[in-house]
């Protein structure tokens, strides 16, 4: 994204507590076991991902399952609305002890969510979303990521191939291109020790912005990689009024949808597609969206244009996000935000 931000803690603190107290446990004993892992190419995997949704990043469920806003039925709602993939935003660093071991209670919550999503036929991306703790301290970040991925990868190594790992959300700050290109190889080696053929999603440093693909260097001999980018351009439209982006926090009334803006979007995606073709990597657009402070008509034009342009360029995508902010789903009514859902997945 290339803008300064100070956000996750504030977003989490600002969450409204969920209204209902449904169980998070699916009746798993009544279900057939999930199929074992079977290797699938990155292209074949990507071809099944289609339309996706970012979920659970700021949900109280991780600390207190009884306070969950997201409930198992929401996986079914996503599926029924035409989504094939969920990108679960994990903040694992906050749930480790001094030795780096992940809290068993956190893992139990993740097991339940993961199993339910897979039973519901969704592709699940486990996205390690700890870019903020990583931005200032490489010496701490590298080993922490390796420890977390060692545990995640070993725990889920036999899970079906519809489970995909995403190494790190939006590397940035001290994770410069050179640092990240080296670090991603070390983390990949940790994942490959238990998951030699599972597809892994990795994006470039510099907030996974499309203009950073030029600096992105993936290991040529690992073909089980899907490349990812995020798209929030123009920031002055998508992040107007967003308190965590200094440069756009005070903007308002910015609209979107002129012919020139649509042409820019398509030109941007032509460049991404050219990179993917040249490197033989499928492209997953892992985040895009427009913050609530913008006017709804422009937001709908933007969201629909980005989703359709991604599809026309052969990218799978995931909208930012289901709940919390940029919402596609209104938890207070327990229903979709109609215009956003229709823009994303017209039926
Ligand atoms: C961040 C969120 C942020 C969003 C849009 C995501 O990658 O993790 O905190 O709200 O981008 O700015």
């Amino acid at each position: 994204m290339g803008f300064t931000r100070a956000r996750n803690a504030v977003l989490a603190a600002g969450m409204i507590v969920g209204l209902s107290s449904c169980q998070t446990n699916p009746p798993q004993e009544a279900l057939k076991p999930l199929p074992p892992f079977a290797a699938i190419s990155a292209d074949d995997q990507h071809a099944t991902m289609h339309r996706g949704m970012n979920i659970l990043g700021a949900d109280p469920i991780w600390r207190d399952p009884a306070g969950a806003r997201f409930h198992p039925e929401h996986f079914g709602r996503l599926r029924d609305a035409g989504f094939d993939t969920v990108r679960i935003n994990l903040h694992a660093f906050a749930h480790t002890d001094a030795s780096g071991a992940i809290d068993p209670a956190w893992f139990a919550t993740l097991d339940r969510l993961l199993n339910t999503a897979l039973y519901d036929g969704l592709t699940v991306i486990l996205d390690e979303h700890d870019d903020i703790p990583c931005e200032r301290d490489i010496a701490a970040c590298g080993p922490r990521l390796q420890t977390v991925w060692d545990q995640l990868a070993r725990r889920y190594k036999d899970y079906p191939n519809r489970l995909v790992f995403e190494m790190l959300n939006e590397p940035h700050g001290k994770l410069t291109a050179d640092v990240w290109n080296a670090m991603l190889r070390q983390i990949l080696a940790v994942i490959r020790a238990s998951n030699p053929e599972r597809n892994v999603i990795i994006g470039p440093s510099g907030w996974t912005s499309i203009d950073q693909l030029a600096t992105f260097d993936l290991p040529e001999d690992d073909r089980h990689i899907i490349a990812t980018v995020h798209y929030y351009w123009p920031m002055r439209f998508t992040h107007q009024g967003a308190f965590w982006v200094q440069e756009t926090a005070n903007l308002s009334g910015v609209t979107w949808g002129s012919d020139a803006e649509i042409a820019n979007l398509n030109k941007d995606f032509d460049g991404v597609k050219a990179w993917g073709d040249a490197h033989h990597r499928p492209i997953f657009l892992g985040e895009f969206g427009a913050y609530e402070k913008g006017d709804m008509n422009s937001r709908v034009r933007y969201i629909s244009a980005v989703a359709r342009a991604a599809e026309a360029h052969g990218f799978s995508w995931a909208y930012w996000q289901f709940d919390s902010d940029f919402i596609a789903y209104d938890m207070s009514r327990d229903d979709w935000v109609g215009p956003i859902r229709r823009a994303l997945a017209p039926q």
Side-chain angles (χ1 to χ4, degrees), residues 1 5 7-8 11 129 169-170 232 239 244 287 320:
M1 299 193 19
R5 300 187 295 181
R7 5 140 252 191
N8 285 339
L11 287 177
H129 213 84
N169 180 62
E170 298 188 347
Y232 287 108
H239 280 67
W244 64 99
E287 287 186 21
W320 184 268

Side-chain angles (χ1 to χ4, degrees), residues 42-43 46-47 223 225-228 275-276 280-284 314-315:
D43 281 325
H46 178 261
R223 303 317 302 170
I225 295 175
I226 295 170
T228 189
W275 185 94
H280 309 291
R281 305 283 188 191
I283 303 282
F284 169 57
F315 314 155

Side-chain angles (χ1 to χ4, degrees), residues 9-52:
V10 189
L11 287 177
M15 294 282 299
I16 306 154
V17 175
L19 294 178
S20 60
S21 59
C22 307
Q23 293 293 316
T24 51
N25 292 35
Q28 281 166 31
E29 55 287 353
L31 299 171
K32 282 200 250 156
L34 290 164
F37 179 78
I40 180 174
S41 75
D43 281 325
D44 287 350
Q45 177 102 55
H46 178 261
T48 68
M49 286 165 54
H50 307 291
R51 299 173 171 171

Side-chain angles (χ1 to χ4, degrees), residues 93 133-134 137-149 168 175 179-180 183-184 186-187 190:
F93 285 12
C134 273
D137 190 348
I138 305 164
C141 167
R144 280 185 101 179
L145 275 176
Q146 289 187 36
T147 310
V148 158
W149 271 117
L168 180 64
L175 291 180
V179 171
W180 178 237
M183 190 186 283
L184 70 85
Q186 293 165 352
I187 301 164
V190 169

